[in-house]
């Protein structure tokens, strides 16, 4: 594989730093690195693959440099402002914000699920929401084998999904300090509230999961509902996923599907207390699936428990995997 000039926008933030770590660990062939951030962070030094780099200020002119790919993780407003600038200058943007996810002209990609959508990108590719990414990796084998009628999501999401402020709220709360970011204390608590509430009573996070799942699986007929919850865990989202399949199934066949599915680790031996755990998923790139059992209240119902590191697979690693897939397909 040839090497590429890579920009990381938001390089000093939580996800940006993780993107740099994943680029190095997965050995993406970086020829030249261009770390970028806001004026406030410009001038700082970061280390990558044993070399120090000075963080550049993000501006229109920054993309006049010879850059092949830009990994964006600097918030929706920044992506809306600068992604089109970079794309117009021939840079392929992989954007981690929600800015372009539901744009019908922008592919929303999880490489294990819909890599073929990269073929029609127009220099901007959207990275899905963290909770959606792990869910669709687990759902894809079921969708292909049995079809899906309905999905019920119930999530248990780590505070790192809120960035540094959410992480600090849990750290401080454990020490007895008052909450500064969340509307209620998160330490020793559970908040059924992620992002803002909408007129329909759902939160934006819940509607992201619903709409993004349909887009990634190319199926607007899917009936989906979601309740997303913040829990006092630093890393890794856990999800209870209830699925109504279109065809009858045997649990052994489902286990075989997951044993063979790309990016999935099956952990399903409850008799020996083996099931996915947030602590074990931390700092890994796989999606862990377990607690497989029939939902006996409906025909063809299945329950599963899905866990993944929300900062790695849910953000940084998925973006880097998209870059690898672009290179594999000769799209860079």
């Amino acid at each position: 594989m040839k090497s590429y000039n890579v920009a990381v926008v938001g390089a000093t933030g939580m996800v940006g730093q993780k993107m740099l770590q994943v680029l190095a660990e997965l050995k993406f062939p970086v020829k030249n690195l261009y770390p970028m951030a806001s004026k406030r962070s410009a001038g700082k030094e970061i280390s990558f693959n044993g070399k120090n780099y000075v963080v550049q200020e993000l501006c229109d002119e920054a993309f006049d440099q010879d850059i092949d790919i830009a990994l964006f993780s600097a918030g929706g407003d920044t992506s809306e402002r600068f992604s089109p600038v970079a794309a117009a200058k021939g840079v392929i943007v992989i954007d981690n914000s929600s800015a372009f996810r539901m744009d019908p002209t922008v592919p929303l990609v999880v490489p294990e699920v819909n890599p073929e959508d990269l073929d029609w990108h127009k220099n901007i590719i959207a990275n899905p929401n963290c909770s959606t990414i792990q869910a669709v990796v687990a759902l894809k084998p079921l969708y292909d084998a049995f079809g899906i009628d309905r999905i019920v999501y119930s999530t248990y999401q780590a505070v790192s999904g809120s960035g540094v402020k959410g992480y600090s709220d849990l750290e401080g709360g454990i020490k007895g300090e008052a909450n500064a970011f969340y509307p209620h204390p998160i330490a020793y608590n559970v908040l059924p509230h992620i992002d803002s509430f909408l007129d329909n009573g759902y939160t934006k996070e819940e509607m992201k999961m619903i709409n993004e799942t349909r887009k990634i699986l190319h199926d607007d007929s899917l009936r989906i509902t979601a309740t997303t919850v913040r829990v006092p865990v630093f890393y890794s989202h856990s999800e209870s996923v209830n699925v109504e399949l279109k065809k009858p199934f045997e649990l052994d066949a489902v286990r075989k599907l997951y044993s063979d599915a790309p990016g999935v680790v099956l952990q399903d031996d409850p008799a020996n207390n083996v099931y996915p755990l947030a602590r074990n998923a931390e700092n890994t790139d796989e999606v862990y699936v377990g607690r497989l059992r029939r939902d006996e209240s409906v025909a063809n119902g299945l329950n599963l428990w899905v866990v993944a590191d929300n900062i790695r697979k849910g953000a940084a690693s998925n973006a880097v995997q998209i870059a690898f897939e672009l290179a594999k397909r000769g799209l860079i």
Side-chain angles (χ1 to χ4, degrees), residues 127-181:
N127 213 30
N129 189 42
C130 49
S131 51
T132 306
I133 287 174
Q134 66 188 73
V136 295
V137 170
L139 289 171
K140 176 65 171 175
L142 299 175
Y143 188 88
D144 288 347
F146 305 105
I148 295 176
D149 270 333
R150 184 170 185 258
I151 304 164
V152 180
Y153 290 132
S154 302
T155 73
Y156 307 75
Q157 297 182 215
V159 294
S160 54
S162 301
V164 173
K165 291 180 179 178
Y167 194 99
S168 297
D169 245 24
L170 179 53
E171 274 191 323
I174 291 170
K175 299 173 185 174
E177 299 170 4
N179 51 298
F181 175 70

Side-chain angles (χ1 to χ4, degrees), residues 9 42 82 92 114 239 263 282 293 302 310 319 329:
V9 178
F82 289 102
I92 298 177
N114 61 329
E239 300 174 350
E282 184 178 336
R293 62 207 186 279
L302 176 68
N310 55 297
R329 289 174 172 264

Side-chain angles (χ1 to χ4, degrees), residues 4-245:
Y4 303 93
N5 295 330
V6 179
V8 176
V9 178
T12 58
M14 180 180 286
V15 174
Q17 292 178 57
K18 189 63 69 172
M19 284 175 168
L20 292 166
Q21 178 187 335
V22 173
L23 282 167
E25 289 182 3
L26 299 187
K27 295 181 170 56
F28 187 80
V30 177
K31 183 178 180 181
N32 294 300
L33 179 72
Y34 299 90
M36 300 180 189
S38 66
K39 186 175 182 179
R40 185 180 66 253
S41 297
K44 293 181 179 178
E45 280 198 354
I46 63 165
S47 178
F48 176 75
N49 277 347
K51 182 179 176 181
N52 290 335
Y53 293 83
V54 176
V55 176
Q56 304 178 22
E57 181 180 350
L58 177 64
C59 60
D60 289 359
E61 293 71 29
F63 297 103
D64 291 337
Q65 303 171 95
D66 183 16
I67 299 170
D68 299 305
I69 307 171
L71 307 181
F72 270 66
S73 187
D77 290 343
T78 299
S79 291
E80 286 181 4
R81 167 71 178 82
F82 289 102
S83 291
V85 173
K89 295 180 179 182
V91 179
I92 298 177
V93 172
I94 302 172
D95 180 42
N96 194 55
S97 80
S98 60
F100 301 99
R101 288 176 185 157
M102 297 313 299
D103 185 329
T105 68
V106 174
L108 183 67
V109 175
V110 179
E112 298 93 334
V113 179
N114 61 329
E116 65 281 355
D117 285 348
L118 293 173
D119 294 340
W120 52 270
H121 80 79
K122 298 178 177 64
N123 284 0
I124 298 178
I125 299 157
N127 213 30
N129 189 42
C130 49
S131 51
T132 306
I133 287 174
Q134 66 188 73
V136 295
V137 170
L139 289 171
K140 176 65 171 175
L142 299 175
Y143 188 88
D144 288 347
F146 305 105
I148 295 176
D149 270 333
R150 184 170 185 258
I151 304 164
V152 180
Y153 290 132
S154 302
T155 73
Y156 307 75
Q157 297 182 215
V159 294
S160 54
S162 301
V164 173
K165 291 180 179 178
Y167 194 99
S168 297
D169 245 24
L170 179 53
E171 274 191 323
I174 291 170
K175 299 173 185 174
E177 299 170 4
N179 51 298
F181 175 70
Y182 293 120
H184 304 282
I186 185 62
Y188 317 112
N189 205 6
V190 170
L191 306 183
H193 177 185
I194 299 178
D195 212 324
S196 55
F197 283 99
L198 302 171
D199 290 342
N200 63 359
Y202 285 76
T203 64
K204 284 186 177 179
E205 182 81 1
E206 290 158 353
M207 293 310 301
K208 286 176 189 176
M209 290 197 74
I210 292 168
N211 293 325
E212 291 177 21
T213 298
R214 289 173 177 153
K215 180 175 179 178
I216 293 166
L217 294 176
H218 300 287
D219 189 346
D220 289 336
S221 72
L222 281 171
R223 295 179 297 145
I224 311 173
T225 189
T227 302
T228 60
V229 179
R230 191 71 71 192
V231 296
V233 171
F234 286 108
Y235 291 104
S236 299
H237 291 347
S238 303
E239 300 174 350
S240 170
V241 183
N242 176 272
V243 190
E244 290 182 40
L245 302 174

